[in-house]
Amino acid sequence: MKLINNKIALIFGLVICACSSMYAQPSQKKKIDGVVAVVGDYVVLDSDIDKTFLELQAQGVETKGITRCEMLGTLLEDKLYAHQAIQDSIVVTDAEVNEFMNSQLDQMVEQVGSIDKVIQFYNKKNLEDFKAYFFDVVKMNKLTSQMRRQIVEEVEITPEEVRQFFVKIPKEELPVFGAEMEVAQIVVKPVISQTEKQKVIDKLKQLKKEVQEGSSFFSRAVLYSEDPGSKSSGGYYKLTKKTQFVKEFKDVAFSLQEGEISEPFETEFGYHIIFLEKIRGQELDVRHILISPKVTDEALKEAKTKIETIRKRIVEGQISFAEAAKQYSDEKETRNNGGVLMNPRTMSTRFELTKMDPSLYSEVSELKDNAVSLPLMDQEQNGNKKYKLITVTNRFEEHTADFATDYLKIKELALKEKQIKAVGKWTEEKIKETYVKIIGEYRECKFTSNWLKKSL
């Protein structure tokens, strides 16, 4: 059972330890002397500290060096974030909570094999009891994370601040950055026939008709949608005009009336129908079904022939890799940049070898400079296959930080430092404004923040 417990804890993260003090079991609520702190409307129990240690240990985190005082300080911060989120009218909708909770539950069940094992691990009577308990837990966790994000999202840093941050670092303490490389690719996608497209359009029209005749859009999305991000929640998304969705999707969603289902329409992901479930001011509750036309074997062969021809021209020097990417690549995100990939973690073109995605590393690790890989078959989220060529365009050996060469990395470090200071300042200000009480032996703790409100 230990392995199962660890897997569940890893999936749910610290959602319990971040929020469990307010939602303790009935037996814990009766233990009045178990209350060790109060922040605003929230309490922290001594048992919450124990739970936090257990959760961290279940995730494989070494806790020997963490004191109970330090753990209490973390819990106090969580309660302060949640309390202030409510004061600032930060809203977490029931739909958001249910979507996240259902998604996490699906992952837990997939990991351990059954919903009964999940319920048993959390010592709940049944699924309803489990969901009722974790609804409040998840809601509070989301309030906490949104409050944290709001504190730091407006923190910006100027080039001069980055420079000052760098020059203050003693020479012997300058960070060392690992070996990196820049990678480019050319993608050729098989051409999907009009016949295959029409099959999908007809299927979506049929599903729309079934819903209009009384079937559940939720169940149809669960059964037929190919969108991994919303399939398990019946195709649900919360949408505003600022939501980072493709333009075609938002245009259709905001053209619908409440209760209306769209006609099938196309985006880069495939074909969709959208059901506008609810209008909440500037916010929409929508459900959608995504189905992608399938690639035929004949189209796949034609794509392979095309990319082999492109590779031959590059190798023979008839065209450069960058020029070929601009002319022939079907990946619009990279083709205008000569096929150069963007690191999604750092938003730069460099990939540190020790942190590179294993699948990408396996494709480039043996490539010499300017060599072009053989055609590699890849698969998109919708299951359709495509071919790609990869080359290494630049390499950077392990080195001590240099301001000009590593500006983006240094900027990231400087920004993090400034954000930490902003959070610290915010915390101290809000502690002064908020009712905080530390009880019993924990008043002897030496907290980083002034939770005891001592005169400074």
Side-chain angles (χ1 to χ4, degrees):
M1 187 66 184
K2 184 178 180 182
L3 178 60
I4 293 174
N5 291 356
N6 287 351
K7 285 180 177 178
I8 296 174
L10 281 167
I11 293 168
F12 232 99
L14 295 180
V15 75
I16 298 177
C17 64
C19 314
S20 58
S21 60
M22 182 181 176
Y23 307 101
Q25 296 293 335
S27 61
Q28 293 170 332
K29 289 183 179 178
K30 293 176 183 177
K31 187 182 176 183
I32 302 300
D33 60 351
V35 176
V36 297
V38 180
V39 180
D41 296 327
Y42 302 111
V43 299
V44 179
L45 304 179
D46 203 24
S47 59
D48 291 329
I49 300 175
D50 296 324
K51 287 178 184 178
T52 309
F53 275 110
L54 289 173
E55 287 292 330
L56 289 173
Q57 290 161 7
Q59 296 177 69
V61 177
E62 179 57 60
T63 60
K64 288 183 179 178
I66 303 174
T67 67
R68 293 185 70 82
C69 286
E70 289 170 335
M71 197 66 80
L72 174 59
T74 299
L75 294 178
L76 292 173
E77 288 178 5
D78 290 334
K79 300 300 171 277
L80 183 65
Y81 289 135
H83 173 77
Q84 193 59 44
I86 294 173
Q87 307 308 307
D88 289 359
S89 301
I90 292 176
V91 176
V92 174
T93 66
D94 290 356
E96 283 181 83
V97 175
N98 285 322
E99 180 185 2
F100 177 83
M101 185 166 58
N102 289 334
S103 174
Q104 298 303 298
L105 183 57
D106 287 344
Q107 290 184 49
M108 286 190 280
V109 172
E110 184 178 340
Q111 288 286 335
V112 304
S114 74
I115 185 64
D116 291 336
K117 290 179 180 178
V118 177
I119 293 169
Q120 180 185 358
F121 174 66
Y122 284 110
N123 196 27
K124 299 302 171 187
K125 296 177 183 177
N126 49 45
L127 182 59
E128 289 71 26
D129 188 30
F130 174 92
K131 286 190 172 183
Y133 175 75
F134 278 107
F135 182 91
D136 289 333
V137 173
V138 171
K139 189 163 188 173
M140 178 144 176
N141 194 53
K142 282 189 166 290
L143 281 170
T144 299
S145 62
Q146 286 193 32
M147 189 69 250
R148 286 173 177 156
R149 187 163 56 249
Q150 182 172 297
I151 297 168
V152 301
E153 66 183 2
E154 295 182 2
V155 177
E156 297 179 345
I157 195 160
T158 66
E160 176 59 21
E161 287 176 311
V162 177
R163 190 192 67 80
Q164 290 178 10
F165 168 82
F166 183 75
V167 298
K168 287 179 182 177
I169 304 175
K171 199 169 185 178
E172 64 277 9
E173 295 180 16
L174 286 171
V176 175
F177 296 127
E180 299 172 308
M181 62 171 59
E182 290 180 335
V183 180
Q185 70 180 22
I186 296 171
V187 175
V188 173
K189 298 179 181 180
V191 177
I192 297 174
S193 68
Q194 192 57 46
T195 300
E196 291 300 315
K197 291 181 180 180
Q198 193 59 49
K199 284 181 184 178
V200 171
I201 292 170
D202 291 343
K203 178 63 177 177
L204 288 170
K205 285 184 176 180
Q206 177 61 32
L207 292 175
K208 175 181 177 178
K209 182 180 178 184
E210 290 174 8
V211 173
Q212 289 174 330
E213 291 175 350
S215 296
S216 163
F217 195 101
F218 180 100
S219 64
R220 290 296 176 270
V222 170
L223 288 172
Y224 298 106
S225 182
E226 297 173 1
D227 176 16
S230 68
K231 178 182 176 74
S232 63
S233 60
Y236 175 82
Y237 282 114
K238 180 179 71 173
L239 198 65
T240 70
K241 291 190 175 180
K242 293 183 179 180
T243 305
Q244 296 299 306
F245 277 31
V246 291
K247 182 177 183 297
E248 299 91 337
F249 191 96
K250 290 197 290 186
D251 286 347
V252 172
F254 280 93
S255 71
L256 298 173
Q257 299 296 316
E258 192 170 293
E260 186 180 1
I261 303 175
S262 74
E263 289 297 316
F265 65 96
E266 186 179 12
T267 72
E268 61 191 78
F269 302 103
Y271 286 86
H272 314 247
I273 53 173
I274 295 178
F275 169 48
L276 179 52
E277 192 171 74
K278 190 75 175 176
I279 298 175
R280 304 177 185 277
Q282 300 300 312
E283 189 175 273
L284 307 181
D285 288 348
V286 302
R287 295 188 185 276
H288 86 125
I289 297 173
L290 166 67
I291 303 178
S292 301
K294 299 302 175 275
V295 172
T296 63
D297 290 341
E298 181 181 354
L300 197 59
K301 289 178 182 177
E302 291 175 356
K304 186 176 183 182
T305 299
K306 180 180 178 180
I307 204 164
E308 287 174 339
T309 302
I310 295 170
R311 182 180 187 276
K312 185 172 184 291
R313 291 191 64 200
I314 296 171
V315 171
E316 292 178 352
Q318 298 176 31
I319 190 172
S320 69
F321 194 99
E323 290 170 341
K326 290 177 181 178
Q327 288 187 36
Y328 302 116
S329 183
D330 292 326
E331 188 174 64
K332 65 180 184 180
E333 296 87 356
T334 61
R335 65 186 177 208
N336 291 330
N337 194 31
V340 176
L341 295 177
M342 187 71 71
N343 187 333
R345 190 180 64 83
T346 63
M347 298 310 294
S348 74
T349 57
R350 295 188 188 184
F351 291 82
E352 190 170 342
L353 300 191
T354 57
K355 299 177 182 178
M356 185 179 285
D357 180 88
S359 60
L360 179 59
Y361 181 78
S362 67
E363 293 169 347
V364 301
S365 59
E366 300 300 323
L367 279 179
K368 296 181 179 179
D369 290 349
N370 299 316
V372 181
S373 72
L374 293 171
L376 300 167
M377 183 180 284
D378 201 2
Q379 196 164 355
E380 298 180 302
Q381 284 188 344
N382 59 22
N384 281 342
K385 296 174 181 177
K386 60 186 180 183
Y387 284 100
K388 64 183 180 182
L389 301 174
I390 291 182
T391 188
V392 176
T393 59
N394 216 337
R395 296 181 192 272
F396 305 88
E397 299 303 322
E398 181 177 283
H399 62 282
T400 301
D402 174 81
F403 186 75
T405 306
D406 303 302
Y407 178 78
L408 290 178
K409 288 191 180 68
I410 296 164
K411 179 181 178 182
E412 183 180 355
L413 293 174
L415 179 60
K416 284 181 180 178
E417 182 184 72
K418 190 172 181 180
Q419 288 173 337
I420 290 170
K421 289 180 179 178
V423 170
K425 182 180 179 181
W426 180 93
T427 301
E428 292 304 321
E429 289 175 353
K430 296 306 175 185
I431 288 174
K432 293 177 183 177
E433 302 172 6
T434 306
Y435 175 76
V436 178
K437 185 175 183 181
I438 311 297
I439 299 169
E441 63 185 22
Y442 290 99
R443 292 189 60 80
E444 303 302 317
C445 288
K446 295 181 179 179
F447 297 109
T448 303
S449 298
N450 190 24
W451 293 108
L452 295 169
K453 298 193 176 184
K454 295 180 178 179
S455 299
L456 301 177

